[in-house]
Amino acid sequence: MKSTIPESGVPIAKPADNGAERTEPSLHGEILSRLRDYVVEGNIPDGGRVPERQLCEMFGISRTPLREALKVLAAEGLIDLLPNRGARVRQLGKRDLEELFDVMGGLESLAGRLACETITDEEIAEIERLHYEMYGHYLHRNMHNYFQANQRIHERIVAASRNETLRTIYANLAGRIRRVRYSANFARERQRWTEAMREHEAILDALRRRAGSELADTLFQHLRNKRTAAVEHLGGMPEGAIAETTGR
């Protein structure tokens, strides 16, 4: 298959003035989404304290909704809550990353194999739409939107496995590596980003053909390559930070 890939902090918006206010759940979801993106995209360094006052001012909210969102991110594994000391971004050492990416690779591999047995034409069409949306963001070097589409593709494949146990375990682990999965795209001066797009072409091709074994192998290797890039990214951190993470 010939590749088509070339070689080469905002405040929450006010609701529209339509006479109706947003419900509390929708406001919570928006705060959570913005805060998650802020952490995942590396705006706070690994192990760094979460600046609650600054974030409250940025999002135009009080401490209470921010802390509720922080509890969710802690449950997802992105941050650690410190008793009476606020929160900090969770750090992962080399061994942590290797183990997590291998487990995630195994889960996605199994999901791909199962999905090929049950996925509908409509679900494949939706994944294909997301793929080309992601490709457009890649061409425009829009990492934020690229990553959002990328994560939805992986989540759609897992959902198509029709295995709720697998889906639950996957969701529980995905948050722990979401931040480093994002930053790994910048490894080797963005070469990894191009490699990832090529791999996604192979993933889509195998999915279209419902080639379960091939898709399983491709997804596992995709996660292995991402693991290599993530460890390389970790290796670019200051030595003190690496020592702190690997010595935990």
Side-chain angles (χ1 to χ4, degrees):
M1 182 186 65
K2 185 178 179 180
S3 174
T4 60
I5 305 302
E7 293 298 332
S8 57
V10 180
I12 293 177
K14 294 181 180 180
D17 186 12
N18 57 6
E21 295 184 356
R22 287 177 298 178
T23 63
E24 188 64 27
S26 68
L27 178 60
H28 171 75
E30 187 174 359
I31 294 168
L32 177 60
S33 177
R34 290 292 183 89
L35 181 59
R36 183 188 290 116
D37 288 346
Y38 190 82
V39 173
V40 166
E41 294 175 11
N43 291 291
I44 306 172
D46 288 340
R49 293 291 181 88
V50 176
E52 293 189 21
R53 181 178 299 177
Q54 176 183 330
L55 291 174
C56 286
E57 293 175 356
M58 182 184 303
F59 296 155
I61 58 176
S62 67
R63 286 283 181 93
T64 299
L66 179 70
R67 287 176 175 172
E68 289 301 312
L70 288 173
K71 289 178 184 178
V72 176
L73 296 191
E76 292 179 357
L78 272 174
I79 66 169
D80 291 316
L81 295 178
L82 310 174
N84 303 316
R85 290 182 295 157
R88 69 178 180 184
V89 173
R90 177 169 292 182
Q91 291 180 307
L92 294 172
K94 180 175 180 291
R95 186 59 182 165
D96 297 323
L97 291 178
E98 290 174 342
E99 292 180 355
L100 280 168
F101 271 102
D102 276 353
V103 172
M104 290 293 286
L107 291 174
E108 291 204 23
S109 176
L110 175 59
R113 188 181 299 273
L114 294 176
C116 285
E117 298 175 359
T118 60
I119 196 166
T120 66
D121 291 342
E122 291 75 14
E123 287 172 318
I124 291 178
E126 171 62 11
I127 290 172
E128 185 171 13
R129 184 193 67 77
L130 286 168
H131 173 85
Y132 287 113
E133 176 185 316
M134 179 179 70
Y135 180 48
H137 296 315
Y138 163 80
L139 292 176
H140 290 92
R141 286 297 190 257
N142 185 332
M143 175 57 79
H144 173 85
N145 289 333
Y146 167 91
F147 187 72
Q148 298 299 319
N150 179 291
Q151 292 301 284
R152 288 197 293 272
I153 289 170
H154 286 277
E155 289 164 3
R156 294 290 197 283
I157 293 173
V158 172
S161 73
R162 307 288 193 271
N163 187 307
E164 286 304 313
T165 300
L166 189 160
R167 190 173 181 177
T168 299
I169 296 172
Y170 179 86
N172 287 341
L173 291 178
R176 297 180 64 183
I177 61 172
R178 184 177 285 115
R179 175 182 167 94
V180 72
R181 197 167 180 167
Y182 177 94
S183 60
N185 288 298
F186 295 110
R188 299 194 297 278
E189 298 181 353
R190 291 197 174 186
Q191 180 183 347
R192 173 58 203 159
W193 196 355
T194 297
E195 290 174 352
M197 268 306 313
R198 294 185 191 280
E199 290 161 9
H200 264 273
E201 285 193 327
I203 289 168
L204 179 60
D205 180 62
L207 187 62
R208 284 174 177 146
R209 293 183 284 110
R210 292 177 169 83
S213 295
E214 181 181 337
L215 180 59
D217 291 345
T218 302
L219 282 165
F220 186 80
Q221 190 59 49
H222 178 62
L223 268 291
R224 263 296 171 92
N225 293 341
K226 182 74 77 172
R227 184 189 80 163
T228 299
V231 171
E232 179 181 318
H233 176 73
L234 179 65
M237 294 169 56
E239 291 186 6
I242 296 174
E244 181 179 347
T245 62
T246 56
R248 290 176 66 183

